[in-house]
Amino acid sequence: MSILETETQTRNGTPPTGPAYGTRTATHPLRSELRRGFAPWAGLAVAATLAITMAGKAPQWQGSWGDTQGMLHVTSSLLGGPLAAAAGCWHGGRERRRRTDELRATAARGPLAQFLTASLPVAAWIAAAYAVVAVGASAATWAYASASRPLLSPALADAAFLVAMTLLGHVVGRLVAWRPAAPTLAVGGYLALGVPTYATGGLSHLSPASAPTMGDVVPVWWQPLAESVWVGGLAAAAVLAYAASRKYTALVPLTAAAVAAVLITQTGDRMWRDHPLAQQQVCDTSVRPQICVNALYPAMLPEVKTALSGLTDRLEGVENLPVRFEDRAGEPKQDEAQLPMLTPMGQSMVRGGLTDPEQFASEAADSLAGKDPCDARVEDERASRVDSTVTEWLSPSRARAEIERHNLRSAQGNGDDKMQAGIRADQAARARLAAMDTDERRAWLSRYFATADSCDPKQVPAL
């Protein structure tokens, strides 16, 4: 039995009947809407959209609570929000399409109660769909995330946003008698949410999709609340202005939304702060240089140490080395070298493992050899050759070797004698370093690393 039939029978004093049970107590319309009809399908569509998108980008978030919640937030904002608005819009025009809007107007319940009875089941199913995807994403991250924890408040704000977009869409569906209104609203909502992400300034933060990824930052305690009040206030004002008997009550949520909007635009990027672990490190002091990884990813330390084991073995006994490889924001200190970037996820690091340990070790060797190069050192052929020789000896790279072979074949084919001579000189320099006995090489490398920060190419020891 439809809502309108139930409402009409109740108003006429006739108890609702069912074919299986005869006369029985009327089922509340809200329960009927929740159990069948459009609402479950809307929830399924949102769940499928979010789940497929999250699964397709799993390498970029699986392994970090912050990145997981950040990706879920952006996905639910940019895709879930427009889809929820479209679902609400389509459902809002149901009576018009069925030509029962005049019958609805004669029902016993007031306009606001009728509106909420029709719209809240769709919003509830969409919020439940988000919750299912959020739980699934958290379960997928659990096995790989080694630090921090998921935050509840951003997830609640995302769910509130989807509910608000559903209600706004329902109002549009009631007001706009146009069948393409739902897809048009979805496209318009996507643009309205997505375009501000490319802007700068406080106004850009009014779009929930403009929030930064939460890998190394977390929102201040009131940020999710302000976001919910901003979007939820607009939705509540639209609902009350459309369906409430006292239209002026819409001013209350509208005022709250305006206050939240001012707070968001005035605060801007200060709504997020550095993660407490982002400036901390976990170190292995058994090797030299010591190896440190960011405290957000402590489980990566054994993986990184294994990748750099060949490099640290070759540096055993060498003096004038940096104290450690460091892994935190900002430039390394004078006695430190920069560990190759582990983030953003999906590049060097995927699901708690290095994607290319050889390339990672090669980049680490680069950060040691001539670790603060300047133009004079880079432009000096001899000093530059020494730097590249040390890098290649510390961490031989198949990719660099293949590039060198390709360049040599190309130079031979083109008759480029200068390039051939340069490549032969590079090979000879590597051969001389490899031919040294252990003590001689340690002494030479100690002299070399004493000049690693120097911009004077004349100080670089000859090879």
Side-chain angles (χ1 to χ4, degrees):
M1 182 181 296
S2 70
I3 297 175
L4 295 177
E5 291 170 335
T6 302
E7 293 278 2
T8 304
Q9 290 184 11
T10 301
R11 185 171 181 269
N12 294 334
T14 304
T17 59
Y21 302 102
T23 302
R24 59 184 175 86
T25 303
T27 301
H28 194 284
L30 188 62
R31 183 180 178 186
S32 299
E33 291 279 356
L34 280 169
R35 293 176 58 185
R36 54 184 178 269
F38 178 74
W41 291 105
L44 181 62
V46 171
T49 300
L50 298 184
I52 292 172
T53 304
M54 291 292 291
K57 295 181 177 293
Q60 299 177 25
W61 55 264
Q62 196 174 4
S64 164
W65 290 119
D67 288 319
T68 298
Q69 290 198 274
M71 183 63 69
L72 187 61
H73 173 78
V74 172
T75 302
S76 62
S77 298
L78 276 180
L79 300 181
L83 186 56
C89 182
W90 180 258
H91 195 56
R94 176 180 57 178
E95 275 77 25
R96 185 185 303 108
R97 293 191 301 274
R98 294 177 178 178
R99 303 180 186 276
T100 57
D101 46 345
E102 293 182 1
L103 180 61
R104 175 175 56 81
T106 65
R109 299 179 186 274
L112 182 58
Q114 292 180 38
F115 181 93
L116 295 178
T117 299
S119 61
L120 287 182
V122 179
W125 269 98
I126 289 176
Y130 169 83
V132 169
V133 175
V135 170
S138 298
T141 295
W142 199 283
Y144 304 103
S146 55
S148 190
R149 59 183 177 82
L151 301 176
L152 180 60
S153 56
L156 294 177
D158 289 343
F161 167 75
L162 293 175
V163 170
M165 293 297 288
T166 306
L167 297 180
L168 282 171
H170 201 97
V171 172
V172 174
R174 289 284 184 92
L175 293 173
V176 180
W178 188 44
R179 282 186 175 271
T184 302
L185 184 61
V187 174
Y190 179 83
L191 294 176
L193 291 165
V195 170
T197 62
Y198 298 98
T200 58
L203 290 176
S204 66
H205 293 290
L206 291 178
S207 169
S210 66
T213 58
M214 290 183 281
D216 55 1
V217 298
V218 291
V220 297
W221 68 269
W222 53 264
Q223 189 274 336
L225 178 61
E227 179 183 311
S228 299
V229 172
W230 156 237
V231 182
L234 290 179
V239 171
L240 293 175
Y242 169 77
S245 57
R246 295 178 176 85
K247 307 297 184 183
Y248 62 82
T249 56
L251 293 175
V252 176
L254 187 61
T255 301
V259 172
V262 171
L263 180 61
I264 289 171
T265 55
Q266 293 299 313
T267 307
D269 291 332
R270 297 194 305 277
M271 290 188 295
W272 290 269
R273 59 183 177 86
D274 290 338
H275 195 290
L277 296 178
Q279 291 299 321
Q280 301 179 30
Q281 299 184 104
V282 178
C283 300
D284 188 319
T285 60
S286 65
V287 293
R288 195 158 175 259
Q290 301 171 13
I291 298 174
C292 300
V293 299
N294 197 284
L296 286 170
Y297 313 102
M300 287 298 298
L301 185 57
E303 180 99 0
V304 171
K305 182 183 178 181
T306 299
L308 300 185
S309 59
L311 183 150
T312 53
D313 288 346
R314 292 183 176 225
L315 290 175
E316 185 176 357
V318 176
E319 301 295 332
N320 302 316
L321 294 173
V323 174
R324 66 184 63 85
F325 284 105
E326 62 90 21
D327 181 28
R328 58 180 171 233
E331 292 295 323
K333 297 179 181 178
Q334 185 66 25
D335 58 349
E336 296 177 336
Q338 179 70 55
L339 190 74
M341 296 291 291
L342 293 172
T343 55
M345 297 191 69
Q347 299 181 14
S348 295
M349 176 175 62
V350 173
R351 298 184 182 93
L354 293 174
T355 56
D356 190 343
E358 182 182 275
Q359 178 63 26
F360 188 84
S362 177
E363 293 176 6
D366 276 332
S367 70
L368 287 177
K371 70 187 184 74
D372 188 20
C374 51
D375 291 343
R377 184 161 178 155
V378 172
E379 293 172 359
D380 185 89
E381 184 177 359
R382 185 192 68 84
S384 179
R385 176 170 291 115
V386 171
D387 287 340
S388 62
T389 298
V390 172
T391 298
E392 182 63 27
W393 182 80
L394 289 176
S395 179
S397 168
R398 289 191 295 268
R400 278 199 298 256
E402 180 59 33
I403 291 173
E404 185 178 77
R405 286 193 292 270
H406 172 77
N407 289 341
L408 181 58
R409 288 194 298 268
S410 177
Q412 290 171 341
N414 296 330
D416 190 335
D417 294 336
K418 183 177 180 180
M419 178 177 285
Q420 293 184 60
I423 294 174
R424 300 298 185 192
D426 291 341
Q427 294 173 338
R430 291 197 297 272
R432 287 194 296 273
L433 183 59
M436 294 179 183
D437 61 46
T438 302
D439 292 337
E440 181 185 6
R441 186 164 49 242
R442 284 176 179 169
W444 185 88
L445 287 172
S446 296
R447 294 196 306 273
Y448 169 81
F449 281 111
T451 69
D453 290 329
S454 175
C455 280
D456 184 358
K458 296 179 181 178
Q459 294 185 9
V460 179
L463 182 61

